Every structure is written in C-alpha cells, then in structure tokens.
Amino acid sequence: MRDALETPRLLLLPLSRELLMQTLGAGTFRAQGATFGGGWAGEAEVIFPLHLLNLGEEDAVRGSFAVVERASGQATGLLGTKHAPEQGRVEIGYGLTEAGRGQGYATEAVGALLEHLRGWPDVQTVLAETLPDNRPSIRVLEKNSFTLTGRRTDSADGELLCWARPLSQQL
C-alpha cells in the first residue's frame, strides 16, 4: 500500500480523502483491506470535514494515519501530527479504541511515526501533551524516549504535561 507504515503488529494507513469521506458517510466500512467500525477515529473525527476542505482528490493528511491491527484487519485508532512543522518542531497526538488499548499498540505506532518523521527535513523535535492523570499515555511517551519539559494550562483541557523528543536521539 502506498505510503503505509508497517510495524510487527500494525499497519498505519495514511489518512486519505477516501478514509475521511467514508468515515463521515457510514458506520462500518471497508477500505484499503481493513475494516473501520463506527467510532474508530474517536474525538478526532470532528475535524475530518476541515481536513476535507484542504485536500485534493488524491491527497492524504500529511503525517496522519489510521492504526490497523494486522491480525484482525480492524482499525483501532488514529495517530499523527497535529499541525504543520513550525521552527523545526511538530506536535503529535494519538488515540485508540477501547478494544485497542492496553496491548502496546500506541507505543508501537508512536515509534513508527517517530521513524517516519525522521524523514521530514523540517522536523528536528517532536512534541506531545498529556493530561497528568493519563498514565497509559504518559507511558507511551516514556517508552518512546520523550522527556517531560513542563506544564501548561489549557482553557478546555485544564492542566497538561508537555513532552519533547529530539529526533536525533536514538531509542
């Protein structure tokens, strides 16, 4: 598959116009050899219409992927960059369905995304944020060698922990 990323247990499919359209138009559907159940994209689905406005017919959202479990062929989440790189930095986000949690998939997917981002000449550092009580997400970042760099308060989410990982740093 064009531009897909592969890990031992996962296939990361580019978040394409096709996936965006089908997600907005159906509950469960099949695309690119995978099954996408309703809610596979979680809260991020609300921004899919905005992505569609900015994509051409063949485009995909740069740096964003559907997480598909290879063994079952089921989409189990979404991860990717939250915006275009700025001053050598880009922020990532990720989320899995309830069925995909607790199996190390997020750690595996974030590791693959980091390797993918190494190929972007405009990115030297990857950023992420977590809620202070989201221990599973904190562990994903720790296992991928992110360092806690501070805290900030967001008007919608409250207190957030801020993380960074230079791409020059090896796992």
Side-chain angles (χ1 to χ4, degrees), residues 129-157:
E129 295 180 333
T130 61
L131 292 169
D133 63 351
N134 188 344
R135 193 72 198 132
S137 190
I138 290 168
R139 286 296 298 144
V140 166
L141 296 175
E142 290 172 341
K143 287 179 180 179
N144 279 290
S145 301
F146 280 78
T147 301
L148 182 62
T149 59
R151 296 171 182 260
R152 76 175 187 88
T153 302
D154 180 80
S155 60
D157 295 323

Side-chain angles (χ1 to χ4, degrees), residues 9-29:
R9 299 180 301 155
L10 302 172
L11 185 60
L12 305 179
L13 300 175
L15 190 57
S16 65
R17 172 173 277 287
E18 173 192 16
L19 287 180
L20 293 168
M21 294 287 290
Q22 289 191 37
T23 298
L24 294 173
T28 298
F29 64 93

Side-chain angles (χ1 to χ4, degrees), residues 63-144:
S64 291
F65 300 87
V67 179
V68 176
E69 181 188 41
R70 291 176 117 182
S72 69
Q74 292 286 322
T76 190
L78 183 68
L79 88 154
T81 58
K82 289 187 166 186
H83 53 73
E86 297 171 1
Q87 299 177 334
R89 300 179 301 194
V90 70
E91 183 179 356
I92 64 167
Y94 49 90
L96 297 179
T97 62
E98 190 66 38
R101 294 181 190 148
Q103 301 177 60
Y105 291 157
T107 299
E108 195 172 317
V110 168
L113 181 59
L114 290 171
E115 285 303 313
H116 175 71
L117 292 173
R118 282 183 195 279
W120 291 22
D122 51 350
V123 176
Q124 290 81 47
T125 303
V126 179
L127 308 174
E129 295 180 333
T130 61
L131 292 169
D133 63 351
N134 188 344
R135 193 72 198 132
S137 190
I138 290 168
R139 286 296 298 144
V140 166
L141 296 175
E142 290 172 341
K143 287 179 180 179
N144 279 290

Side-chain angles (χ1 to χ4, degrees), residues 39-52:
W40 73 271
E43 296 173 359
E45 188 176 324
V46 300
I47 62 170
F48 283 12
L50 180 62
H51 284 312
L52 283 169

